[in-house]
Amino acid sequence: MAPIPTPAAQPDDAPEAYVGLDATRAERLARERGWSSIRALPPGTIITMEYLTGRLNFEVDGETVTRCWQG
């Protein structure tokens, strides 16, 4: 049986720090801080619950990040 791979470390970053920022600025900052994938979603979007290491999710209302979480 193949060994289970060790996931890469995620950036040492606080997702709540992005709440209230302009979505474009938040995405740029997240990439600078090492997030490999950023997903911006409108409020109430139905999404699957798979966890992806290195991904940061933004809920964006208008042009402002209203919620942020890892995975």
Side-chain angles (χ1 to χ4, degrees):
M1 182 183 284
I4 297 173
T6 303
Q10 295 198 126
D12 184 22
D13 197 13
E16 59 274 2
Y18 295 93
V19 175
L21 297 178
D22 172 78
T24 303
R25 180 172 177 243
E27 183 175 347
R28 188 177 337 111
L29 185 59
R31 292 199 186 281
E32 288 172 4
R33 292 182 177 173
W35 293 99
S36 58
S37 177
I38 293 128
R39 179 167 65 170
L41 306 161
T45 300
I46 297 171
I47 58 173
T48 59
M49 295 305 294
E50 82 279 0
Y51 187 89
L52 180 61
T53 301
R55 178 171 62 194
L56 194 61
N57 299 286
F58 294 144
E59 183 174 275
V60 179
D61 191 3
E63 291 296 319
T64 305
V65 177
T66 57
R67 182 174 167 232
C68 183
W69 67 99
Q70 297 178 13

